[in-house]
Amino acid sequence: MSTLRPAASWLRSSSSPGSLSSPLQRAMRGGPRSLSTSSLYVSVPRDDRDSDQTSEGDSDSLSADEGSDFEDSSRRNVKKRAAKRPLKTTPVAKHPKKGSRMVRGHSQKESEPPASDLFDAVKGAKSDMQSLVDEWLESYKQNQDSGFLELINFFIRSCGCKGTVTLEMFKKLSNSEIIRHLTEQFNEDSGDYPLTAPGPSWKKFQGSFCEFVKTLVYQCQYSLLYDGFPMDNLISLLTGLSDSQVRAFRHTSTLAAMKLMTSLVRVALQLSLHKDNNQRQYEAERNKVPGQRAPERLESLLEKRKELQEHQEEIEGMMNALFRGVFVHRYRDVLPEIRAICIEELGSWMQSYSSSFLTDSYLKYIGWTLHDKHREVRLKCLKALKGLYSNRDLTARLELFTSRFKDRMVSMVMDREYDVAVEAVRLLILILKNMEGVLTDADCESIYPVVYASNRALASAAGEFLYWKLFYPEYEARTVGGRERRRSPHTQRTFFHLLLSFFVESELHDHAAYLVDSLWDCAGSQLKDWESLTSLLLEKDQNLGDVQESTLIEILVSSVRQASEGHPPVGRVTGRKGLTPKERKIQADDKVKLTEHLIPLLPQLLAKFSADAEKVAPLLQLLNYFDLNIYCTRRLEKHLELFLQQLQEVVVKHADPAVLEAGAHALYLLCNPEFTFFGRVDFARSQLVDLLADRFQQELEELLQSSFLDEDEVYSLAATLKRLSAFYNAHDLTQWELYEPCYRLLRKAVDTGAVPRQVILPALTLVYFSILWTLTHLSGSGASQKQLLSLKGRMVAFCELCQSCLSDVDPEIQEQAFVLLSDILIIFSPQMIVGGRDFLRPLVFLPDATLQSELASFLMDHIFIQPGEMVKGHSQEDHLQIEQLHQRRRLLAGFCKLLLFGVLEMDAASDVFKHYNKFYNDYGDIIKETLTRARQIDRSHCSRILLLSLKQLYTELLQEHGPQGLNELPAFIEMRDLARRFALSFGPQQLQNRDLVVMLHKEGIKFSLSELPPAGSSGQPPNLAFLELLSEFSPRLFHQDKQLLLSYLEKCLQRVPQAPSHPWSSVTTYCHSLSPVENTIEASPQGYPHSKKRRIEGKVLQHREDSSSSQEESLQLNSVPPTPTLTSTAVKNRQPLEGLEEMEEEGSSESEFTQSQLLPGTQRSRFLSPQHSQTPFNPSGPGLGNQLTRLSLVEEDEDKEELETQNESGEEWQDPDKHSSPSEPGLDLLDSTELNVEDF
């Protein structure tokens, strides 16, 4: 293969820059002419120039480690071929032979290469790509030197390099020397190059670039493609660039080489077709009788076949050079974008030219890369395989590959990236369809649980797999008769029987709604067959068990909800913002169909299953998804009457909360004054409430007058109260005046304790709803003062009842009273007058100190209790403990709302914050949110509360164990962990929190020395160990503040009468945390660490060690993207910032903080300038200018000890503890990316 070094005859020729065709210049008129130096040319940091150059081990592959130029290895691997003449059938100009192509006109003189009009034209995409290539071909024919140099410089410019290849370089330098020269000129400041540069002008560059390469090969396929010189030299250049350590060169040249290979594959495919046609024509001519046979025709066909064979050999030689020189090395490149390009193009080669590329020797690259760490690469692998498995004709060649990599493809269903998992499931669907018997039952059973995944796209794909595996074969076996047979009731029932069987027997989940949603996209028409569903439920001899009936009802309700609302069930993420007009039309039509079908059948279903609460509750929910206007428009009022009768029977029969809530809500939907049947429904509601109210009055009188009630009477009264409470929640029952009798009942319960628990609970809820409905009536303007005071009196009386219930012996009554009390205190808090409702001011109520104390005591007794060891397994105890945990979380959330709404004193939050660390697993999210909101309300007060929490814990520990050996106790170590977590909650905004942290330290020092040891004692102050807790906040201090705090501590210690003979350990620990040598976060005002400057001109880079683990944890806890914790070397010995708050101190220590010096204007502006808050990805850094040399571009051995920052593209190939060199074979490229099934 020829190289970029021209032959001797080239030395006698030259080209002129003026030989560019004017049409090309006209095409670029008005477009962008060139890239600005700030956006095009990039400097390449060390971690961007780390390509994987390990050899494949194949003797034929091109090795980058041999130290030779590419042209040397290419001569060994690619045989020299003679130039071929173009096809006779192609109307193009004749090109010179290879031996004579270097003869040039002597009148042409040597000059610089032409301007970059070709690059600007491709970037601007102002003209047709075919015309652009044709113009370049014309210029190449006029002057091959100038034309080829223009093409070379186009690819160089596309890499973002401002250097150019001149004719002199072209003559005298080899490939490696030219690339080395270009690398030395690659020293711009930006980290972007055309393929990655932001902005609208670069958005379409990659597409235009690829289109240019494709068109170039297409236009040259009958001419220059077989000339030998341009293509061989272009391939040589791209191969050399793809082996560069400069990322921009490597990325761009690999893309160009792979697109060039793809275009060559298309040409090879066309040549193969031409050869087949030629062979058929030759056989047809030869088989003719001798009298009709044309010898000239046979000779022409033989010559044509020979020519096609030569062309095919040349194309295969070029493809072999590209594959071995570029793909074999770059498919495992450290840059994931390059690996993705290689795999994507390999997949296209296999699909388009399967006879040559669909072999195990090529498939192995895709199989190996299935283990890639990067999401995009794994995605490209799966998409490439999908294109192969979707063609049944190709699956026979994939048997060995499938047997080798099937386990990996199945395991990718659990990939950590959802889109990769989705593609894996879809690939397995194709394997299931086109390769029978490949997937075993064990393989399929590992996919079935994914139908319950939280991500809807993944669950839907798994649902489709389930459909094709379990439902479709049986479904089709019974539908041999065609479409009409398929819609038969028997066939539809088969589907539902199979669905029931899978859900019940698999025992994977408790809710069929998620299974219905997973199957909705592939089996929606079957799931919307409500006729078959209802006939199965209403059939007398359906032979369904109790569990199957309940499951079938749940499937019916789920399919109705899905068709009516069009969104997945709760907890499943879809990612879509809305429905298309077509989907909304289908949804509206389905809603009408299901309503028309189910309105007549719903009373029958309720009548059949009225005795079973688990089946009646979901059936009552069906009304939520009806188009209720159809009751009027289709004259179905008789069915409405039947439904109301059944509803009344169900309410009177059941006391289950789920049934009562569903019934009350169904009646609420019908009680809309806009409906013409509102009068009938309102009358039915009045009848039902009258019945319940009369029964309640009778049973209440019996309770109040009798000294003893049997169990039946208690159950009847409790059931009536539950029914009234459920309906009071959805309907205004104020006219039945239920407050007074319920209050009397509760008053007796508080005074005598003779009222059973099951009666008190619904009675409390009834009184609560009565107060809220009265408030709703008075919230409108026009309420009298008397009415407001009456409501206020009722509310205060109810709060007193709840306060009394807080000390009840029954925990359920206590919890119910706490929940209702916390809600009503928030409703009647000062915020109720906000929004122009000042007339409600008489209703504002704030709890007294006694009530606040009892609420806090309830918090300690019922929420922050020692968590019991949960028994492993799925026992009833396990389920009960989970329910109790949820209830405690609700109680804690209610108390935190009282704090944040100002109902309780904010200092009471210390009772919550001091349990942050100990109960982090149970309540960490609630406490963290409370802490964040409290800091938003008052930053200073919140900081004092954190300190108060530590003081309370320390005092409790001190009273329990005494001061001796306090800091060695496990409880004290837990307190240090809590202090560290409090310190992390301040976040990285160090300047913003400066005054708060200093105040916290100062108050802590005062507390630690507030109690002195007894007179004559040599012991340390009892609170002195508190300084060790303060040391956890020291990393949040500025250096200047540390010095001031050390001085303040020294003066405070001078007041201790007995000075120790040796320093106290707590004081030593605290002073060490304030020491200047202590490694702390010297952050910029914005809170981001400075990036380190690189070593320049051989200077040694000096850096400190990484920040402490607590500082790294800070970034995680505060949801800040992880950033390398580097210590800035740009700013040293900062002066104290102005604005440090003056704080009151005792004695002479006050002057230490008031003498904080102001920063001079010039220094202060420099400190706050943007250059001191660099982002981690800034290879050049401020002040480097043009001092970057080749040391900053090419990796050297001595640079490997330098601290590396992670690049913004998210590369995960490098070992975080060690920077691997490009030739290092130890890169972990095959890391597993699987998740456990519990993640779903």
Side-chain angles (χ1 to χ4, degrees):
M1 181 183 295
S2 302
T3 69
L4 280 178
R5 187 191 297 275
S9 58
W10 279 69
L11 299 176
R12 300 189 300 270
S13 61
S14 62
S15 62
S16 171
S19 61
L20 278 177
S21 60
S22 58
L24 178 61
Q25 296 174 352
R26 290 196 301 269
M28 287 306 302
R29 227 169 256 150
R33 302 288 299 177
S34 62
L35 291 170
S36 64
T37 58
S38 62
S39 62
L40 171 60
Y41 309 120
V42 301
S43 64
V44 181
R46 273 172 43 89
D47 58 347
D48 288 354
R49 305 181 311 280
D50 38 10
S51 60
D52 182 6
Q53 300 177 25
T54 55
S55 62
E56 182 68 21
D58 186 357
S59 60
D60 295 331
S61 64
L62 299 174
S63 173
D65 298 327
E66 296 175 357
S68 60
D69 296 336
F70 174 74
E71 57 264 26
D72 298 332
S73 57
S74 65
R75 290 191 189 101
R76 293 193 299 268
N77 294 312
V78 184
K79 64 179 182 179
K80 187 75 173 180
R81 63 180 184 273
K84 308 300 177 186
R85 63 179 182 273
L87 293 175
K88 294 181 180 180
T89 56
T90 307
V92 296
K94 183 178 180 181
H95 287 270
K97 297 287 186 179
K98 184 175 290 188
S100 62
R101 66 183 179 198
M102 292 185 253
V103 178
R104 304 289 182 263
H106 295 282
S107 61
Q108 298 174 350
K109 61 181 181 178
E110 296 183 2
S111 64
E112 293 298 317
S116 57
D117 288 338
L118 191 59
F119 173 80
D120 293 333
V122 172
K123 176 195 170 187
K126 298 279 185 178
S127 59
D128 179 55
M129 205 60 68
Q130 184 173 347
S131 303
L132 194 63
V133 173
D134 288 341
E135 291 173 6
W136 176 82
L137 286 173
E138 289 297 326
S139 67
Y140 179 81
K141 293 173 186 177
Q142 295 174 13
N143 190 321
Q144 293 190 15
D145 289 346
S146 175
F148 189 66
L149 281 178
E150 182 183 10
L151 185 63
I152 290 176
N153 286 313
F154 162 73
F155 286 105
I156 300 301
R157 283 290 306 275
S158 299
C159 295
C161 179
K162 71 177 182 180
T164 57
V165 180
T166 63
L167 188 59
E168 182 180 0
M169 294 167 55
F170 189 69
K171 293 176 182 178
K172 298 180 180 179
L173 301 180
S174 65
N175 286 356
S176 58
E177 292 171 338
I178 290 176
I179 294 173
R180 186 179 302 113
H181 177 75
L182 294 173
T183 301
E184 292 172 353
Q185 295 184 358
F186 211 109
N187 60 352
E188 295 303 322
D189 299 330
S190 173
D192 296 319
Y193 47 95
L195 290 184
T196 63
S201 60
W202 299 109
K203 186 177 295 184
K204 299 181 180 179
F205 176 77
Q206 180 169 343
S208 300
F209 180 77
C210 297
E211 182 66 23
F212 174 80
V213 175
K214 174 184 174 182
T215 309
L216 178 65
V217 175
Y218 179 79
Q219 293 298 102
C220 298
Q221 63 177 321
Y222 300 117
S223 55
L224 294 182
L225 196 59
Y226 311 105
D227 189 10
F229 165 70
M231 280 300 166
D232 288 356
N233 282 276
L234 180 59
I235 291 173
S236 177
L237 171 69
L238 294 178
T239 306
L241 287 173
S242 70
D243 206 35
S244 171
Q245 293 174 337
V246 179
R247 170 180 295 194
F249 281 155
R250 209 168 66 248
H251 187 185
T252 309
S253 60
T254 302
L255 176 62
M258 293 298 97
K259 290 298 180 181
L260 183 62
M261 176 82 168
T262 302
S263 301
L264 291 175
V265 167
R266 294 193 182 97
V267 174
L269 182 61
Q270 291 296 325
L271 287 174
S272 177
L273 295 176
H274 288 323
K275 282 183 60 179
D276 293 341
N277 291 335
N278 177 270
Q279 183 65 25
R280 285 194 298 269
Q281 293 173 4
Y282 179 79
E283 293 294 337
E285 188 67 28
R286 193 180 62 174
N287 291 334
K288 291 181 180 179
V289 297
Q292 297 179 355
R293 187 183 304 163
E296 299 82 2
R297 172 71 171 165
L298 287 175
E299 184 180 355
S300 174
L301 290 173
L302 283 173
E303 185 179 354
K304 179 71 175 295
R305 183 170 62 180
K306 181 180 179 182
E307 185 177 3
L308 290 171
Q309 181 65 30
E310 292 174 350
H311 287 178
Q312 189 171 27
E313 290 177 359
E314 289 202 27
I315 294 296
E316 290 176 355
M318 287 186 275
M319 291 192 300
N320 185 63
L322 284 170
F323 187 83
R324 293 182 179 275
V326 179
F327 179 89
V328 169
H329 299 286
R330 299 281 69 79
Y331 88 95
R332 54 187 178 174
D333 192 276
V334 71
L335 189 64
E337 288 87 345
I338 295 179
R339 303 196 300 273
I341 289 171
C342 293
I343 296 301
E344 181 180 18
E345 297 306 315
L346 178 60
S348 69
W349 307 338
M350 291 178 175
Q351 292 182 51
S352 58
Y353 200 9
S354 58
S355 60
S356 294
F357 286 96
L358 191 55
T359 62
D360 295 327
S361 59
Y362 291 100
L363 282 168
K364 66 182 180 182
Y365 296 109
I366 294 182
W368 293 339
T369 319
L370 285 172
H371 297 268
D372 194 280
K373 279 187 172 183
H374 199 270
R375 160 194 163 275
E376 186 65 24
V377 184
R378 300 195 302 275
L379 203 59
K380 294 295 184 184
C381 291
L382 292 172
K383 289 182 177 180
L385 292 176
K386 278 178 59 182
L388 300 177
Y389 281 101
S390 60
N391 189 343
R392 189 180 286 269
D393 298 333
L394 302 179
T395 53
R397 306 185 196 177
L398 295 169
E399 291 181 356
L400 182 60
F401 173 84
T402 306
S403 64
R404 169 65 180 82
F405 293 101
K406 182 191 68 173
D407 293 341
R408 173 56 185 162
M409 290 187 284
V410 172
S411 68
M412 291 182 76
V413 172
M414 299 298 174
D415 195 275
R416 67 179 66 152
E417 302 290 345
Y418 283 128
D419 50 354
V420 177
V422 169
E423 292 298 326
V425 176
R426 289 174 179 167
L427 173 62
L428 294 174
I429 293 173
L430 293 174
I431 296 177
L432 180 68
K433 289 181 180 180
N434 298 328
M435 300 184 72
E436 297 179 2
V438 171
L439 294 178
T440 63
D441 292 340
D443 295 332
C444 298
E445 288 172 1
S446 66
I447 303 172
Y448 294 156
V450 185
V451 296
Y452 300 107
S454 59
N455 183 272
R456 190 181 188 278
L458 178 57
S460 181
E464 185 179 355
F465 180 89
L466 176 67
Y467 176 79
W468 285 101
K469 176 61 180 177
L470 294 183
F471 301 147
Y472 185 78
E474 291 291 331
Y475 184 68
E476 282 299 303
R478 308 191 182 199
T479 59
V480 184
R483 179 179 294 272
E484 294 301 322
R485 181 76 178 275
R486 181 178 299 177
R487 293 178 179 174
S488 65
H490 180 71
T491 302
Q492 296 291 351
R493 291 186 181 189
T494 301
F495 173 80
F496 289 114
H497 279 295
L498 291 171
L499 188 61
L500 274 176
S501 239
F502 171 77
F503 180 78
V504 174
E505 295 175 7
S506 64
E507 298 181 352
L508 294 172
H509 206 274
D510 296 331
H511 301 288
Y514 297 94
L515 178 60
V516 170
D517 181 60
S518 300
L519 292 169
W520 193 256
D521 293 340
C522 59
S525 59
Q526 290 93 324
L527 291 170
K528 289 190 288 188
D529 183 16
W530 299 296
E531 292 83 355
S532 300
L533 266 171
T534 51
S535 64
L536 271 175
L537 288 170
L538 293 173
E539 196 175 47
K540 294 182 180 179
D541 302 326
Q542 77 273 33
N543 297 324
L544 294 177
D546 184 65
V547 176
Q548 290 178 320
E549 283 182 346
S550 299
T551 304
L552 204 57
I553 290 175
E554 188 176 0
I555 290 174
L556 170 64
V557 176
S558 300
S559 63
V560 167
R561 185 203 59 79
Q562 191 89 8
S564 176
E565 296 183 348
H567 60 77
V570 176
R572 178 160 283 178
V573 181
T574 176
R576 297 184 57 184
K577 293 184 178 180
L579 301 177
T580 64
K582 182 180 180 181
E583 290 172 337
R584 284 195 293 267
K585 177 68 167 55
I586 295 175
Q587 178 183 338
D589 294 341
D590 288 341
K591 192 171 185 178
V592 171
K593 290 178 184 178
L594 68 90
T595 304
E596 291 177 345
H597 175 73
L598 290 175
I599 279 179
L601 299 179
L602 184 56
Q604 301 177 35
L605 292 170
L606 289 174
K608 181 175 181 179
F609 301 105
S610 61
D612 196 332
E614 291 183 0
K615 299 171 185 175
V616 169
L619 287 174
L620 289 173
Q621 295 173 5
L622 285 173
L623 214 65
N624 297 330
Y625 316 115
F626 285 1
D627 183 359
L628 298 177
N629 288 309
I630 292 182
Y631 274 115
C632 311
T633 57
R634 306 298 165 86
R635 299 188 177 184
L636 301 174
E637 287 85 355
K638 62 178 181 179
H639 299 292
L640 178 62
E641 293 287 350
L642 294 173
F643 172 76
L644 292 174
Q645 293 175 10
Q646 292 297 327
L647 177 62
Q648 182 171 343
E649 291 182 10
V650 168
V651 171
V652 173
K653 186 180 297 184
H654 291 280
D656 185 83
V659 176
L660 296 177
E661 182 182 352
H665 186 66
L667 194 60
Y668 170 78
L669 294 174
L670 294 171
C671 289
N672 189 342
E674 296 180 358
F675 293 145
T676 57
F677 53 79
F678 170 71
R680 298 183 183 183
V681 179
D682 187 45
F683 179 72
R685 177 177 61 180
S686 300
Q687 281 185 320
L688 178 59
V689 178
D690 285 339
L691 175 64
L692 298 176
D694 292 343
R695 183 180 297 182
F696 168 62
Q697 293 289 352
Q698 295 173 4
E699 295 169 344
L700 177 62
E701 291 301 326
E702 294 177 2
L703 175 65
L704 294 177
Q705 295 174 5
S706 173
S707 59
F708 175 78
L709 288 177
D710 59 15
E711 292 183 2
D712 293 338
E713 291 175 334
V714 172
Y715 175 80
S716 178
L717 177 58
T720 304
L721 284 171
K722 288 179 181 178
R723 296 178 185 117
L724 286 172
S725 176
F727 275 81
Y728 217 158
N729 188 15
H731 305 269
D732 183 9
L733 307 184
T734 307
Q735 58 179 329
W736 280 271
E737 298 179 353
L738 298 174
Y739 175 83
E740 289 298 336
C742 289
Y743 181 77
R744 283 191 295 141
L745 178 63
L746 292 173
R747 190 78 261 172
K748 179 179 180 181
V750 171
D751 294 340
T752 65
V755 180
R757 172 188 61 83
Q758 57 266 40
V759 174
I760 296 177
L761 292 175
L764 282 171
T765 310
L766 267 173
V767 175
Y768 171 74
F769 287 137
S770 174
I771 293 175
L772 294 189
W773 277 109
T774 305
L775 176 62
T776 303
H777 291 300
L778 299 182
S779 294
S781 57
S784 64
Q785 192 75 8
K786 181 179 179 182
Q787 291 174 317
L788 294 176
L789 293 177
S790 173
L791 176 60
K792 177 71 171 292
R794 289 188 173 188
M795 187 268 298
V796 172
F798 177 69
C799 289
E800 292 174 353
L801 282 175
C802 291
Q803 184 175 354
S804 301
C805 291
L806 287 177
S807 57
D808 195 275
V809 294
D810 190 279
E812 287 191 36
I813 295 178
Q814 291 178 319
E815 292 177 0
Q816 179 78 343
F818 182 85
V819 170
L820 298 178
L821 189 57
S822 59
D823 285 347
I824 206 163
L825 286 177
I826 289 176
I827 293 172
F828 287 87
S829 65
Q831 57 87 28
M832 75 180 306
I833 64 175
V834 176
R837 295 182 296 179
D838 194 67
F839 63 94
L840 296 177
R841 187 176 295 276
L843 296 177
V844 174
F845 175 76
L846 290 175
D848 55 13
T850 304
L851 180 55
Q852 292 192 38
S853 176
E854 290 195 24
L855 289 173
S857 300
F858 176 87
L859 186 78
M860 303 302 299
D861 296 338
H862 291 79
I863 298 175
F864 295 113
I865 56 178
Q866 288 296 334
E869 294 294 331
M870 295 192 65
V871 183
K872 300 251 184 198
H874 300 282
S875 63
Q876 188 68 24
E877 259 181 54
D878 201 13
H879 178 72
L880 182 61
Q881 288 185 355
I882 293 175
E883 288 296 326
Q884 291 175 351
L885 175 60
H886 285 305
Q887 175 64 12
R888 292 197 299 269
R889 286 174 58 85
R890 285 191 288 267
L891 297 175
L892 177 60
F895 185 84
C896 292
K897 285 190 291 184
L898 292 175
L899 293 171
L900 298 177
F901 279 94
V903 178
L904 301 180
E905 293 292 336
M906 187 59 77
D907 287 343
S910 62
D911 293 329
V912 177
F913 294 160
K914 67 184 180 182
H915 296 97
Y916 187 19
N917 199 57
K918 190 173 184 179
F919 292 88
Y920 184 79
N921 292 333
D922 293 340
Y923 316 123
D925 55 339
I926 299 175
I927 301 177
K928 180 180 180 180
E929 183 66 21
T930 306
L931 179 58
T932 303
R933 297 292 181 91
R935 181 172 284 115
Q936 292 173 356
I937 294 172
D938 191 337
R939 294 169 53 246
S940 177
H941 194 189
C942 180
S943 301
R944 294 178 184 274
I945 294 173
L946 295 181
L947 184 63
L948 176 62
S949 302
L950 295 175
K951 289 179 180 179
Q952 291 176 351
L953 286 175
Y954 183 86
T955 303
E956 293 172 4
L957 189 64
L958 184 65
Q959 293 175 353
E960 184 177 354
H961 295 280
Q964 297 299 325
L966 194 67
N967 54 359
E968 298 177 358
L969 296 174
F972 188 83
I973 297 175
E974 290 182 3
M975 290 172 57
R976 290 200 64 163
D977 293 337
L978 177 63
R980 184 180 302 113
R981 197 176 288 276
F982 282 167
L984 297 175
S985 69
F986 283 95
Q989 292 80 17
Q990 193 175 4
L991 182 61
Q992 181 182 357
N993 298 317
R994 181 180 185 181
D995 55 340
L996 304 179
V997 180
V998 171
M999 177 271 298
L1000 189 145
H1001 275 269
K1002 183 184 171 187
E1003 295 294 330
I1005 293 173
K1006 287 181 181 179
F1007 174 75
S1008 64
L1009 300 175
S1010 58
E1011 296 184 21
L1012 300 179
S1017 172
S1018 61
Q1020 68 180 24
N1023 295 340
L1024 194 64
F1026 192 79
L1027 291 175
E1028 296 190 27
L1029 303 181
L1030 284 183
S1031 65
E1032 300 295 339
F1033 295 88
S1034 297
R1036 302 292 159 184
L1037 290 168
F1038 281 96
H1039 174 69
Q1040 298 86 345
D1041 300 334
K1042 293 179 181 181
Q1043 298 296 329
L1044 296 177
L1045 285 170
L1046 281 173
S1047 302
Y1048 177 60
L1049 175 64
E1050 181 181 355
K1051 293 186 178 182
C1052 291
L1053 286 173
Q1054 291 176 358
R1055 298 198 301 273
V1056 179
Q1058 290 85 12
S1061 57
H1062 60 275
W1064 289 313
S1065 61
S1066 299
V1067 176
T1068 304
T1069 301
Y1070 183 61
C1071 291
H1072 180 67
S1073 71
L1074 299 178
S1075 174
V1077 299
E1078 178 73 10
N1079 187 19
T1080 59
I1081 298 179
E1082 292 288 348
S1084 62
Q1086 288 79 3
Y1088 295 100
H1090 295 293
S1091 61
K1092 286 188 176 291
K1093 293 184 179 181
R1094 298 186 177 278
R1095 183 187 54 180
I1096 304 166
E1097 301 287 347
K1099 294 180 181 179
V1100 179
L1101 175 68
Q1102 303 200 1
H1103 57 273
R1104 300 180 187 176
E1105 297 178 353
D1106 292 334
S1107 299
S1108 64
S1109 60
S1110 65
Q1111 297 153 6
E1112 295 174 359
E1113 205 173 319
S1114 169
L1115 300 178
Q1116 299 171 1
L1117 289 175
N1118 290 277
S1119 301
V1120 177
T1123 314
T1125 53
L1126 305 179
T1127 306
S1128 174
T1129 58
V1131 180
K1132 296 290 184 182
N1133 300 325
R1134 293 173 179 160
Q1135 299 294 325
L1137 289 180
E1138 64 175 342
L1140 181 63
E1141 183 180 358
E1142 295 185 2
M1143 305 175 188
E1144 295 182 3
E1145 304 180 9
E1146 298 178 4
S1148 61
S1149 62
E1150 181 176 1
S1151 61
E1152 288 295 330
F1153 281 89
T1154 57
Q1155 291 176 359
S1156 177
Q1157 299 179 5
L1158 299 179
L1159 197 66
T1162 55
Q1163 294 182 0
R1164 187 173 188 273
S1165 61
R1166 179 179 180 271
F1167 181 83
L1168 297 175
S1169 62
Q1171 67 177 356
H1172 293 290
S1173 59
Q1174 306 162 13
T1175 57
F1177 188 77
N1178 191 357
S1180 57
L1184 293 184
N1186 295 323
Q1187 296 180 11
L1188 281 176
T1189 65
R1190 189 164 176 263
L1191 289 176
S1192 65
L1193 295 173
V1194 182
E1195 294 179 343
E1196 301 293 344
D1197 293 337
E1198 60 266 26
D1199 289 341
K1200 292 179 181 177
E1201 298 178 357
E1202 207 173 301
L1203 185 61
E1204 294 292 336
T1205 59
Q1206 296 179 355
N1207 58 67
E1208 294 176 342
S1209 61
E1211 295 178 11
E1212 301 176 22
W1213 289 73
Q1214 297 163 316
D1215 187 1
D1217 300 325
K1218 179 181 177 183
H1219 180 67
S1220 301
S1221 64
S1223 60
E1224 204 166 358
L1227 292 176
D1228 183 15
L1229 305 183
L1230 307 179
D1231 185 56
S1232 176
T1233 54
E1234 299 176 25
L1235 290 179
N1236 294 325
V1237 71
E1238 288 82 15
D1239 294 333
F1240 296 99

